[in-house]
Amino acid sequence: MGIKITLAAAAISILVISGCSNNVKPEKEMDHSTMNHEMEEMDHSTMGEMMEGHMSHDEVVMLNDSTGENELKIPTMLEQDDGEDVVYTVRAQKGKTEIFNGTETETYGYNGSFLGPMLRFEKGDKVKIRTINELDEATTFHWHGLEVPADVDGGPHDALEPGEEKVIEFEVTQEASTLWFHPHPEGKTSEQVYNGLAGLIYIEDDNSKSLGLPSVYGENDIPLIFQDRKFDDKKQLNYSAAKNEDGTIGDTLLVNGTLNPKLTVNKEKVRLRLLNGSNARNFTFKLNTGDSFVQIATDGGFLNEPVTLKEVTLTPSERAEIIVDFSQIDTEKDLALTNEDGSILLPFEVLDQSRAISKIPGVMNDISLTEEEMDLPVTKKIELFGMMDMVTINGKKYDPERIDFTQQQGVMEVWEIYNKPDDMGGMIHPFHIHGTQFKIISRNGEAPPENERGWKDSISIHPDETVKIAIQFNHKGVYMFHCHILEHEDNGMMGQVKVE
Ligand code: C2O
Ligand code: CU
Ligand code: CU
């Protein structure tokens, strides 16, 4: 079901924007029945461009295939500081990283030179984190997807100047999920993330520990942070040179910071925790063999039941946990995770060792939309519009002094988000809300696809699409909502909701 939505929306944008991009076929009348056929005939570059949601722009950047020459790096699990409390130290720092053999690239990282460690929390943990800014510029520490009071959420109001540190405390109250953290300083988020600031958070709970899912970290429970980058001829991440106001995309894929990655697995069920950590590029993940896999979790927790899919699309900041059963796939063939356009993202090497320790239970969670929630009136309307640096929400750009909405703590509301197309068709905006997880009620009036019937904190909104969500905040304070194309966020496609 998710597949259809992607294709239909993408196909619609072909119609609308022809004539503005030199890569698009001449305008043609298409009806729904011919669309899919048209898609098959399209050449590689058009297809790739389309899937990136950048139809309206001349610049198309295809992703290079991973050669698979480097074993995938697995982020280290962050150890707690000594002592009785759950205390972690996370420092934002500069460094040099050997991404390309024999060359040092200047990068940013948390507790290291590039990217960050994985923070593993248990539901119920009272966590203290000492955040330290060792950069030469202001930054913040934002916990994407974490349900915490706004004063520890690390939005643009919480900047730490160079050399400053701050201890934050919160209790982990939400269910098992894969979240992440990244900086959020006003106007500088895209550059700092681009340079390497991003890390993962795993939340575990009694449910996740009892389901019997693959859960050996780095062995059959694999975090995968997908990011595209553009390196200059000195193999540096030159953000100002690479920058695109509409979302910076690059031709070079890094997975967990690994160039040309390969993942070695056993013949068993392997859980892949996919995170689209790119500034702007969309990914549609599939297996090169056409085999299916199952999705078990969305951004904020497990689906009620596993959903069998042949592909899953993630826009920036979205996550999906999927399980690939390597004991059921013909491993004689070359196996890889590929993008929609066929480019190779992650080749697999399958060892002969087979194991059968983990399983995929038929029931994993209990999340549903109640009749009551579905009948609630729409109390907040959000209109996303524009491109490049002319992006707005409800016609306005972010103003730190302006509160756009208020909502009562603990009260469920329905928000309606609409992506208003422009003369050139518009583009997908991944819409994200801080401090909570929400449920999708409908996409253009229809029930969401099965693999979106779980907790979400970011959703793709296609041009001319209207999405209704049921959302409640369990903590107070001022939270951001914004487009997660990071350049759009920095260009002001962001607003604030005050929870009282
Ligand atoms: Cu990933 Cu405002 O956040
Ligand atoms: Cu966030
Ligand atoms: Cu956007």
Side-chain angles (χ1 to χ4, degrees), residues 65-76:
D65 287 337
S66 169
T67 60
E69 62 199 71
N70 301 312
E71 188 63 36
L72 178 81
K73 297 190 181 92
I74 302 292
T76 52

Side-chain angles (χ1 to χ4, degrees), residues 175 207 302-305 363-368 439 455:
E175 61 188 62
N207 182 38
F302 292 115
L303 289 157
N304 287 349
E305 294 152 20
V363 178
M364 300 177 297
N365 207 349
D366 182 17
I367 160 178
S368 62
K439 295 181 274 194
W455 293 111

Side-chain angles (χ1 to χ4, degrees), residues 27-266:
E27 192 161 344
K28 232 188 253 178
E29 290 296 321
M30 275 190 280
D31 61 31
H32 278 273
S33 58
T34 60
M35 269 180 194
N36 283 350
H37 185 63
E38 285 288 328
M39 305 263 309
E40 278 156 29
E41 285 184 357
M42 223 173 281
D43 63 47
H44 214 86
S45 61
T46 311
M47 192 78 175
E49 183 184 17
M50 214 171 57
M51 289 310 163
E52 279 144 36
H54 286 257
M55 276 298 274
S56 47
H57 309 289
D58 290 342
E59 203 182 342
V60 186
V61 186
M62 291 297 294
L63 216 44
N64 296 328
D65 287 337
S66 169
T67 60
E69 62 199 71
N70 301 312
E71 188 63 36
L72 178 81
K73 297 190 181 92
I74 302 292
T76 52
M77 206 185 297
L78 187 62
E79 298 285 334
Q80 293 171 20
D81 297 353
D82 287 340
E84 287 182 5
D85 299 343
V86 184
V87 184
Y88 296 94
T89 300
V90 179
R91 21 181 124 236
Q93 58 188 82
K94 298 187 299 183
K96 291 186 170 45
T97 307
E98 196 178 332
I99 297 170
F100 295 84
N101 259 340
T103 312
E104 291 197 314
T105 301
E106 291 188 27
T107 50
Y108 282 3
Y110 292 114
N111 300 5
S113 70
F114 197 39
L115 296 177
M118 184 271 267
L119 274 65
R120 188 182 180 284
F121 303 145
E122 299 252 346
K123 183 176 180 181
D125 275 355
K126 294 195 172 63
V127 179
K128 267 190 203 173
I129 306 178
R130 234 176 103 211
T131 57
I132 307 175
N133 179 9
E134 292 179 352
L135 303 171
D136 302 329
E137 57 179 321
T139 193
T140 81
F141 296 77
H142 170 56
W143 320 100
H144 180 124
L146 201 62
E147 296 186 16
V148 289
D151 59 354
V152 295
D153 177 62
H157 298 296
D158 296 322
L160 287 188
E161 295 303 320
E164 273 188 345
E165 61 173 86
K166 181 181 171 188
V167 178
I168 58 159
E169 287 180 61
F170 54 83
E171 184 173 343
V172 179
T173 53
Q174 71 203 90
E175 61 188 62
S177 45
T178 308
L179 315 177
W180 63 304
F181 61 103
H182 63 77
H184 222 296
E186 198 179 330
K188 293 284 275 180
T189 300
S190 32
E191 180 167 4
Q192 292 190 0
V193 173
Y194 192 82
N195 286 337
L197 288 180
L200 285 156
I201 301 171
Y202 278 25
I203 297 180
E204 301 292 348
D205 61 12
D206 291 343
N207 182 38
S208 69
K209 289 186 284 184
S210 69
L211 290 175
L213 291 162
S215 51
V216 185
Y217 184 67
E219 205 174 301
N220 60 17
D221 178 350
I222 314 286
L224 296 172
I225 309 172
F226 291 86
Q227 299 176 308
D228 60 330
R229 295 292 182 262
K230 184 175 171 182
F231 291 89
D232 67 12
D233 47 15
K234 296 201 177 69
K235 304 266 188 272
Q236 299 301 310
L237 287 166
N238 184 343
Y239 180 73
S240 46
K243 181 176 182 179
N244 179 334
E245 293 289 356
D246 234 354
T248 302
I249 47 182
D251 60 357
T252 307
L253 173 75
L254 301 177
V255 184
N256 300 347
T258 320
L259 179 73
N260 288 319
K262 166 192 80 180
L263 175 63
T264 304
V265 293
N266 293 313

